[in-house]
Amino acid sequence: MAGKPRNLAKPSDMFDRDWEWSELTAFAADPGPEATLGVVSGRRRQGKSFLLDSLARAAGGFYFCAYEATEAESLRRFGEELGQYTGAVGPLRFDRWEQCVDALLALGREKPVPVVIDEFPYLARATPSLPSIVQVAYGPRRPERLESRTRLLLCGSSLAFMGGLLGGTSPLRGRASLELVVQPLDFRRAASFWGIDDPRLALFVHSVVGGTPAYRREFVRDDVPAGLDDFDAWVCRTALSPRSPLYREARYLLADESDLRDRALYHSVLAALASGNATAGGIAGCLGRPAGDITHPLTVLQDCGLVRREVDAFRKNRSVYRVGEPLIAFDHVVSRTKLALLDRGLAEQVWEGSRARFLSAVVGPHFEQICREWVAHFAAPATFGGMPIDVSYGTVADPAARTSHEIDVVVRGDVGQDNGVLLSLGEAKWDQVMGEGHLERLRHIAALLAGRGTDTSAVRLACYSGAGFTDGLWRAQARGEVVLVDLRRLYAAE
């Protein structure tokens, strides 16, 4: 961006989001000589509207939030709100969106002005040509664009729609100078946001609600577990209580993607994933469908941010799929099959019978994912002897034993002039005190890899545990034979 943008102070009631605020304020204050376009997306309830409304207020810009309505009603509302913003004596009247976009460009004739159209997918569904209308308005030689410094931001919660807005054959491809995805808070920031200092409790809570800010503020009204002893009661009075909005939220997340047709199929795919079926074939078998029927739903769920696809570090033709939203995993493992009991107010009985499964089927896999995130975002380069550039899982065949070994945390990174050097093999156990036997298993896997030609000269073995380590394993770390990562290190150290 040309020049140096003016600094807009972040609102005092906005938690974190420093990077997002910096990017948005730089875009809004860009002193460049022509109108610019930005796209902001992210799943609902991550704070996008709060960010953009705050930006418009701080910079004196215009904010318009659409809702599901006909084209005529949306045009009328738009005219009313723009009239109020400009101080017109009465509502402005527009017959077509072409007129609206030009009116927005006119706002920036004298200085940079941020203009936000929130929930843009609602408008585009009522007026499918709207992306093309914006494309034409932002034509390279169009005088209305060249004479304007409007900073137009289109925002939406439908990730499938917003993700396609700038890609492929979309009319707006190549038009935007900002593409910002507002992600959930990472596990460390989520713990801080909830005000939880105990890392075990923080992981439990994150395994239920993830990093979505609204779940604390709007959904449970700042009801935070008082400690580990209060966690069970907290689950019962929030995620398992029919009186709490959190109780139905997992079932509503797909509703944000209004373009989905067969929602029952998508829910079934998520249920199969949550029950431990991680491959496309396994999911198809669980649903009793041909594998080809599952490909499209998995792709759509990835586009929606509800499913993650992970490629095996050692078998690039093999992938696994995992639920990307903790609340969905919790719902399918704990709540979904017990709705009749929960609707009768029997949360305590349901939780008593489901808690063990929650720890094994929800917390366990979630702990492994958090370990991978720690390596990717928080571990110091010195921890593994280089900067991680890829963190994933992997499987290694053991022909002599007629089995294969799963590695929970595989780290590749930059070392010197080489890319993709294997830096670490790690095992994660949420509920086990790890000992020398786990280290020997990792040594065996490293030997198998070396035997088939993989360079393991830089490999550092690692154990990740939620329950701790034996004295022997601590001594092995002191000798430099293993890297140990416990909950305290995950949440507070490199």
Side-chain angles (χ1 to χ4, degrees):
M1 294 181 180
K4 184 178 180 180
R6 68 183 186 275
N7 185 30
L8 296 175
K10 191 182 80 169
S12 59
D13 57 347
M14 181 180 294
F15 177 83
D16 196 64
R17 301 302 189 194
D18 295 335
W19 178 79
E20 291 88 345
W21 182 256
S22 174
E23 292 296 312
L24 288 170
T25 54
F27 174 83
D30 177 9
E34 56 194 37
T36 55
L37 175 68
V39 173
V40 179
S41 61
R43 291 215 315 272
R44 199 174 296 280
R45 303 181 181 94
Q46 304 307 323
K48 302 183 304 300
S49 296
F50 181 55
L51 266 169
L52 294 171
D53 183 49
S54 298
L55 174 72
R57 292 174 184 271
F62 174 61
Y63 175 88
F64 175 74
C65 185
Y67 52 69
E68 290 186 284
T70 63
E71 180 182 60
E73 182 180 358
S74 294
L75 287 168
R76 178 184 58 77
R77 280 191 57 238
F78 182 87
E80 289 175 352
E81 295 193 22
L82 185 59
Q84 292 173 2
Y85 172 77
T86 59
V89 294
L92 302 178
R93 300 193 180 278
F94 300 105
D95 299 319
R96 305 187 317 277
W97 278 109
E98 289 89 340
Q99 299 168 330
C100 298
V101 176
D102 280 346
L104 295 179
L105 291 175
L107 296 178
R109 284 177 181 163
E110 296 181 1
K111 62 180 181 179
V113 174
V115 171
V116 177
I117 299 182
D118 203 353
E119 300 298 355
F120 182 74
Y122 290 153
L123 300 180
R125 275 194 284 274
T127 310
S129 61
L130 189 52
S132 295
I133 291 171
V134 176
Q135 175 204 22
V136 172
Y138 271 72
R141 294 183 175 277
R142 193 163 184 264
E144 289 85 352
R145 183 184 81 89
L146 296 175
E147 297 168 4
S148 169
R149 285 187 283 172
T150 290
R151 309 305 178 214
L152 178 60
L153 288 160
L154 307 179
C155 179
S157 300
S158 172
L159 291 186
F161 177 90
M162 298 301 293
L165 201 59
L166 300 178
T169 59
S170 171
L172 292 178
R173 184 168 183 244
R175 289 285 194 263
S177 58
L178 174 71
E179 186 175 6
L180 179 67
V181 180
V182 180
Q183 302 283 2
L185 300 172
D186 65 57
F187 69 95
R188 283 190 173 183
R189 288 185 174 88
S192 178
F193 181 71
W194 281 78
I196 299 174
D197 296 325
D198 184 325
R200 183 174 295 271
L201 177 60
L203 184 60
F204 279 170
V205 171
H206 198 266
S207 297
V208 179
V209 296
T212 298
Y215 292 163
R216 176 183 176 178
R217 295 287 190 236
E218 289 85 355
F219 279 56
V220 303
R221 304 298 298 168
D222 288 325
D223 182 354
V224 179
L228 276 171
D229 292 343
D230 186 41
F231 176 74
D232 292 349
W234 176 81
V235 170
C236 291
R237 66 181 182 257
T238 56
L240 298 182
S241 171
R243 297 185 298 274
S244 170
L246 201 59
Y247 174 67
R248 297 175 179 82
E249 173 67 4
R251 283 154 268 169
Y252 291 159
L253 287 174
L254 278 178
D256 292 336
E257 304 294 336
S258 58
D259 293 333
L260 302 187
R261 296 293 179 260
D262 187 0
R263 283 200 178 84
L265 174 59
Y266 291 92
H267 280 294
S268 295
V269 170
L270 290 170
L273 280 168
S275 63
N277 297 282
T279 65
I283 296 167
C286 180
L287 301 185
R289 293 197 177 215
D293 288 359
I294 306 302
T295 302
H296 180 68
L298 283 172
T299 300
V300 172
L301 288 169
Q302 290 176 72
D303 292 342
C304 298
L306 301 180
V307 165
R308 296 190 313 273
R309 176 176 176 263
E310 298 179 5
V311 178
D312 191 306
F314 304 110
R315 299 164 62 187
K316 297 302 183 183
N317 61 342
R318 184 180 186 272
S319 299
V320 297
Y321 298 88
R322 309 186 197 276
V323 177
E325 169 53 53
L327 191 61
I328 287 180
F330 176 89
D331 181 69
H332 282 283
V333 169
V334 177
S335 310
R336 202 168 190 81
T337 61
K338 306 291 184 181
L339 293 179
L341 296 175
L342 292 170
D343 286 341
R344 289 165 50 195
L346 302 177
E348 288 79 7
Q349 292 90 324
V350 169
W351 181 241
E352 183 178 355
S354 303
R355 193 179 192 279
R357 181 159 166 74
F358 165 73
L359 292 175
S360 62
V362 178
V363 177
H366 193 63
F367 176 70
E368 294 174 10
Q369 177 59 25
I370 280 183
C371 291
R372 289 188 284 267
E373 291 180 11
W374 177 82
V375 173
H377 302 294
F378 299 107
T383 302
F384 299 108
M387 178 66 71
I389 60 173
D390 181 69
V391 184
S392 60
Y393 88 105
T395 55
V396 176
D398 189 346
R402 296 183 179 181
T403 188
S404 62
H405 302 280
E406 292 192 1
I407 308 100
D408 300 318
V409 186
V410 180
V411 185
R412 294 186 185 275
D414 273 333
V415 177
Q417 299 301 313
D418 297 320
N419 291 321
V421 172
L422 185 61
L423 295 182
S424 179
L425 301 172
E427 183 168 3
K429 296 294 183 185
W430 159 249
D431 57 350
Q432 292 183 26
V433 176
M434 301 184 73
E436 291 92 330
H438 296 94
L439 179 56
E440 287 304 317
R441 176 178 179 271
L442 291 172
R443 286 171 174 158
H444 177 63
I445 294 171
L448 288 172
L449 289 169
R452 68 186 203 188
T454 301
D455 181 4
T456 59
S457 60
V459 166
R460 298 187 182 184
L461 306 179
C463 291
Y464 306 79
S465 175
F469 309 100
T470 63
D471 291 341
L473 209 53
W474 283 112
R475 288 193 293 270
Q477 178 178 247
R479 293 191 299 268
E481 298 173 8
V482 66
V483 175
L484 301 185
V485 182
D486 56 13
L487 288 175
R488 181 203 60 78
R489 189 169 184 180
L490 281 176
Y491 273 89
E494 298 180 331

